[in-house]
Amino acid sequence: MLTETHPPRRRIASPTLWALACGISGVAANVLLLLDQLTENVGEARQYFMWLPAAIAWVMVVQFLTLIPVALALHRWLPPTRSVQLATAAAIDAMLAIAILQLLLLSGALEFDVQVVLVMATFLVVSTWVLTVSSTGHRRGTLPRPVTRFGLLLGTSHPVGALIAAAGLLFPSGSAVQLAFVVLRAGRPPSSPRPAAQLRRSGSA
């Protein structure tokens, strides 16, 4: 009996650990993003938080690289439909792209104004993948219902968050109203750039 039950457990354990690593790093990235916004206009005290932009970028690298094994595992578990195959391939490319874009920003090879637009676009690809695998797993019954329900909610969070962030751009940068939109989105609006030079300084600190 041990030889019959252990192999499946090993197959499940590996993507589960990758998923936990991705989830923990994702929560950490959002907490750091919020802390970065809250400390942006604190005067001289900001010098104690200069490490935040680089930390966010590094955590996001970990977050999306650890998501790739999860995507590959889900691809094996789900029916091999054309939509799942295309969404998975596009999402893995997007996850790699996000990690590379963060590293290019840290190195100063890419300006934040350019990088953030590219990252937002790749986020949409990943969100589409989350919606695709969640809806397929829900309809076919190949994934637990609590997982698919959460995936459907998560897949819509980025487009909704992008709309909230866009609405925040209608208000003065750094204002209390715009900060409220940032808190709702749990991320940084495109109007709050982090220069690559600052990222390099905080990354080497």
Side-chain angles (χ1 to χ4, degrees):
M1 292 181 66
L2 291 177
T3 57
E4 292 176 358
T5 56
H6 281 185
R9 287 178 181 174
R10 283 198 296 269
R11 287 197 296 270
I12 294 174
S14 179
T16 299
L17 292 176
W18 286 115
L20 284 173
C22 177
I24 292 171
S25 57
V27 170
N30 277 306
V31 171
L32 292 173
L33 279 165
L34 184 56
L35 181 61
D36 186 40
Q37 285 293 319
L38 293 173
T39 59
E40 185 177 4
N41 299 310
V42 292
E44 294 183 358
R46 175 65 187 178
Q47 63 181 316
Y48 300 108
F49 300 95
M50 295 293 288
W51 55 273
L52 283 170
I56 294 166
W58 282 114
V59 172
M60 288 184 65
V61 170
V62 174
Q63 177 187 359
F64 284 93
L65 288 182
T66 54
L67 186 55
I68 293 175
V70 179
L72 292 172
L74 286 172
H75 181 260
R76 293 194 300 269
W77 295 342
L78 291 170
T81 63
R82 183 172 178 82
S83 60
V84 170
Q85 292 176 343
L86 291 176
T88 301
I92 290 174
D93 289 341
M95 295 166 197
L96 283 172
I98 292 171
I100 292 171
L101 288 169
Q102 298 300 324
L103 294 174
L104 289 175
L105 181 66
L106 283 164
S107 67
L110 194 64
E111 292 296 327
F112 179 82
D113 289 342
V114 176
Q115 187 258 8
V116 70
V117 174
L118 297 175
V119 168
M120 291 290 284
T122 53
F123 277 177
L124 287 173
V125 176
V126 176
S127 296
T128 302
W129 164 75
V130 172
L131 284 172
T132 301
V133 297
S134 298
S135 61
T136 301
H138 192 85
R139 286 184 286 103
R140 301 293 184 93
T142 52
L143 295 175
R145 285 303 174 92
V147 173
T148 57
R149 291 192 186 101
F150 181 74
L152 291 170
L153 177 63
L154 185 64
T156 58
S157 64
H158 176 67
V160 172
L163 291 175
I164 293 174
L169 296 178
L170 300 174
F171 300 94
S173 179
S175 65
V177 178
Q178 189 181 79
L179 181 59
F181 280 94
V182 173
V183 173
L184 286 172
R185 182 181 179 269
R188 180 187 302 154
S191 59
S192 300
R194 291 288 178 266
Q198 178 183 339
L199 283 168
R200 288 198 300 272
R201 289 196 299 270
S202 54
S204 60

